[in-house]
Amino acid sequence: MRQTTEDHADTFEKFANAFLVDDYPELAGLGGKKDGGMDARLIADATGELNLVVQSCVSPAAGARRKVLATIEKLKNKLPRELVYCTSAVIGIKLDKTINELRAKRVTLTVRDATWLIQREHDSHRRSKICDDYANAVLSPILKELDPNRLYNAVLTDQEERVAVHYLEAVNLDRKRGSNITHGVFDALVFYALRDSDPEKKGYHAGAITETVRSMFPEKHAPRVGELVAARLAQLEKRGIIHNNTKVGGWVIADPFRGKLAANISATKERDVEFRGKLRDAIVEIAEEKEIEGEYPVDKLIQLGHDCVFWYMREQGRMFADPSHHQLTIYNAERLVKRYMVEHPDPKIAKTSDEEIVYDLLPAALNRTLNSSEEETQRYLRAKADLFMIHAFMEVTPDIQRACHKILGGEILYLDTSLLIRCLAELYSPTSTRPVLRTLQAAVSLGCQLRTWRMYVEELIAHLKGPVLLEWSNQLQTLSPEVLESAFRAVPTLIEVFYRWTRLHGGTMEEAVQQVIGRIDETENTIEFLKEELGVTTETIPSEVDNTHELWEKIFTTWCLGKRNVKTMPQDKFELLVRHDVLAYLTILNQRQKNKAIGPNYGHKVALLTFDRMPQRIARSLSPKSISEYDIVMSLEYLMNVVAAVAYTGTAQLPEEALPATLILGETDIIPNELRAIFRKAWDPNEKRYIRERKLREIVHQLKFSVGDNEGIDPAGKLEITLDEQF
């Protein structure tokens, strides 16, 4: 039912009429453009009176009342005793008011929604057959779209590669955590090479299998690939999964396993269908919430969203396998969609009304889907992330298991203020996802050490006492709940987080903040809180960091020029914040110069975790040739994939729930301080929500355009935001 769209209106109408015959044996189907609002009817033989009318509908639940009342209007001269509203949507209680209103007109409204239909699928053999036929009609085109050549078309350019990845995923369904990744990958590639083998007709000799597998790797790995293929052929034969068939002159997959492999491939498609269904649900829900009416390209949005997710995971996989690969650093859904649209422009969407619809719906739908707490959705996303991680490793080395072990655990990770604020936001949020906290907690279990500096603790306290408490007490606490909901878009995130926390647990905003900083000895209290709640140890910047030499001046000047300041922030405060960041940068740089890197591609064991892109831009200005020593930031996506690889290889035992799949943290871009007053002034609560959202996007875009948003390429481009705007 979830996959039913307007394109299936006629098919659903026939299905509904046939399905309802068990309850209404004399039901007569009508349909057509001139059906007078009736898709089926039941007429009393004796009087000719219209006893019952069936209305079939595939529209979202939000439009159900409008549809019902429109039908009643068409039938007002001859109202039936009963109107059956049969729909592919889940109605729940949305039509309860309408039911009561129609009862006054002596019309009984009976709702037969998706839930009702699904519950009665197996009531009779006839209904089961009807449901199977309907499912085939709806899903057949979708399954064609999920052919690996189409499914991975946006992220993998080679046709053979796309199909091979499909086999990697299918074999991975049976893989036990802790088993050897390298063995699993080469088993899957052998099955791919033998996919059309047949004990009666066709076999493959070892050389042909090796050549097929070798084509998936860079040429320099050919000798090692040959060794691994030979070893896997011997092992798979020993286990009875393949055998060398003399009748057809080569290796073939044994029949029992052939069936199991086919079932796994089918299961992977079913998971893709299910995920697309979740994405469809989110798109429809967001359209209802934002009051977007009329037709919009649901199927195109689903395809675009699915491609966005795969592209994001492919990029993260590349960076994980080779940390010298550029860091994508995308942390919100709107930027994800924008970046994908730039990388993969669609002329049918660009600069049309559909482009606005994409930005109205897709970021919010992706945010909701990727941050879903549903176990199946998270497992699907983690499996796809693992798949692209493995695929990326194949471009670097065939010895994937060995490569994973080289990069795991033991890092010293420093959190700046932006990370500390995000951790607080997740700690006080009721959500069960908490991707940043889960990633950090898992990293600690691997032996990583979480640290921060006293100067960042003081910045955190200033943020809590200033932008959070002052803005709340001076501007927000007297607002009505309705106005407050709209104001949350233009204030630091912790205000909304603490507000919702106090609504659930009681208390005031001041009391929520005091849980972190206390009433006296605020710095020591906060240091204790960070240690006990987050496992973060606080240090003092070493005295040997010199702030007088030429390198300091160069970094400080570049940072001040590159980081956009808020107009209301005094220059001395702005320079103090920059000075703290420069001290942090040089402290880590000094530690890296004292400690040797571990391997050519695996980086240093001391890094900074931050949402600020300035350290990366500083590294490029200091080292145009990308010397890894200067790139002190470890991206959260990289850390997240390290955690996943540890669980994958069995190096450490981590529960499933400790493994987030993505770090898309929010729906929209952060609103800079100077836009808050403009945003509030432009906010019209009587406008539809999607119109208000579009105005906000335009304001943000205008500000960014005015300072030159070059995605951090130009060190002089002022792109960044100060810490009190980050969350």
Side-chain angles (χ1 to χ4, degrees), residues 536-717:
V536 177
T537 301
T538 302
E539 298 179 350
T540 302
I541 288 287
S543 57
E544 64 262 24
V545 177
D546 186 1
N547 63 356
T548 61
H549 56 69
E550 183 180 342
L551 181 61
W552 166 277
E553 288 298 330
K554 181 178 180 180
I555 295 174
F556 181 78
T557 302
T558 304
W559 213 303
C560 285
L561 290 173
K563 192 177 186 76
R564 179 169 54 79
N565 187 12
V566 182
K567 294 178 182 178
T568 56
M569 180 180 289
Q571 184 64 20
D572 59 342
K573 180 181 177 183
F574 173 74
E575 290 186 3
L576 176 63
L577 297 177
V578 173
R579 190 172 291 110
H580 287 171
D581 290 333
V582 176
L583 280 170
Y585 186 92
L586 287 174
T587 299
I588 292 179
L589 196 61
N590 286 349
Q591 291 188 42
R592 288 188 163 201
Q593 289 170 345
K594 293 177 182 177
N595 300 301
K596 189 177 180 181
I598 309 298
N601 289 326
Y602 304 111
H604 301 260
K605 291 294 184 180
V606 183
L608 178 69
L609 295 178
T610 178
F611 289 108
D612 191 343
R613 288 177 292 171
M614 278 305 300
Q616 296 168 5
R617 297 167 66 195
I618 293 295
R620 289 197 292 274
S621 69
L622 293 177
S623 176
K625 294 183 180 180
S626 299
I627 299 175
S628 63
E629 183 179 289
Y630 292 99
D631 198 358
I632 68 166
V633 174
M634 176 187 286
S635 77
L636 283 168
E637 299 103 321
Y638 179 82
L639 180 61
M640 175 186 67
N641 280 323
V642 166
V643 170
V646 168
Y648 206 86
T649 59
T651 306
Q653 296 300 314
L654 295 174
E656 287 283 348
E657 59 270 18
L659 302 175
T662 67
L663 282 166
I664 299 299
L665 304 176
E667 171 188 344
T668 59
D669 277 330
I670 300 150
I671 302 174
N673 275 340
E674 57 262 50
L675 287 185
R676 290 177 183 168
I678 300 172
F679 175 67
R680 289 174 187 165
K681 189 178 294 185
W683 185 275
D684 182 354
N686 297 317
E687 285 183 320
K688 291 186 176 179
R689 182 179 162 190
Y690 79 94
I691 296 294
R692 301 195 299 259
E693 299 283 349
R694 284 183 182 180
K695 284 184 178 179
L696 174 59
R697 288 203 305 268
E698 290 168 1
I699 294 171
V700 172
H701 175 75
Q702 287 167 7
L703 176 80
K704 288 184 175 181
F705 184 76
S706 68
V707 296
D709 188 354
N710 296 313
E711 287 294 331
I713 294 173
D714 178 11

Side-chain angles (χ1 to χ4, degrees), residues 106-152:
R106 299 182 181 278
V107 176
T108 300
L109 176 60
T110 302
V111 178
R112 298 292 183 247
D113 67 351
T115 303
W116 187 90
L117 294 167
I118 292 169
Q119 288 173 347
R120 287 156 181 79
E121 175 185 356
H122 301 294
D123 279 1
S124 66
H125 175 73
R126 179 179 171 281
R127 276 187 168 173
S128 296
K129 178 67 167 57
I130 291 169
C131 289
D132 287 343
D133 291 344
Y134 179 71
N136 288 333
V138 171
L139 295 178
S140 290
I142 296 174
L143 291 174
K144 287 181 181 178
E145 289 295 323
L146 295 177
D147 176 85
N149 274 318
R150 295 187 183 184
L151 185 63
Y152 299 113

Side-chain angles (χ1 to χ4, degrees), residues 425-457:
E426 290 193 6
L427 188 65
Y428 280 85
S429 296
T431 176
S432 60
T433 53
R434 295 183 174 180
V436 174
L437 277 183
R438 285 167 56 200
T439 299
L440 293 178
Q441 289 163 355
V444 170
S445 72
L446 308 182
C448 294
Q449 301 174 50
L450 303 183
R451 300 180 184 179
T452 191
W453 287 289
R454 194 179 186 92
M455 62 187 184
Y456 284 149
V457 173

Side-chain angles (χ1 to χ4, degrees), residues 120-225:
R120 287 156 181 79
E121 175 185 356
H122 301 294
D123 279 1
S124 66
H125 175 73
R126 179 179 171 281
R127 276 187 168 173
S128 296
K129 178 67 167 57
I130 291 169
C131 289
D132 287 343
D133 291 344
Y134 179 71
N136 288 333
V138 171
L139 295 178
S140 290
I142 296 174
L143 291 174
K144 287 181 181 178
E145 289 295 323
L146 295 177
D147 176 85
N149 274 318
R150 295 187 183 184
L151 185 63
Y152 299 113
N153 183 56
V155 291
L156 300 176
T157 56
D158 184 76
Q159 179 176 338
E160 295 293 313
E161 195 176 32
R162 295 174 204 148
V163 180
V165 163
H166 207 48
Y167 275 77
L168 279 176
E169 184 176 12
V171 171
N172 197 47
L173 288 181
D174 292 328
R175 184 186 176 280
K176 295 180 180 179
R177 288 195 175 275
S179 59
N180 190 292
I181 298 178
T182 304
H183 294 172
V185 167
F186 277 85
D187 287 351
L189 294 179
V190 167
F191 298 143
Y192 163 70
L194 294 174
R195 63 192 181 280
D196 60 348
S197 64
D198 188 315
E200 299 297 324
K201 299 177 181 178
K202 190 175 185 179
Y204 289 87
H205 59 80
I209 297 171
T210 302
E211 187 57 37
T212 298
V213 175
R214 196 153 43 199
S215 67
M216 301 293 158
F217 294 86
E219 185 62 32
K220 64 181 179 180
H221 297 308
R224 179 57 178 157
V225 170

Side-chain angles (χ1 to χ4, degrees), residues 47-62:
T47 63
E49 185 178 352
L50 191 61
N51 278 354
L52 177 142
V53 166
V54 175
Q55 179 187 11
S56 303
C57 184
V58 295
S59 299

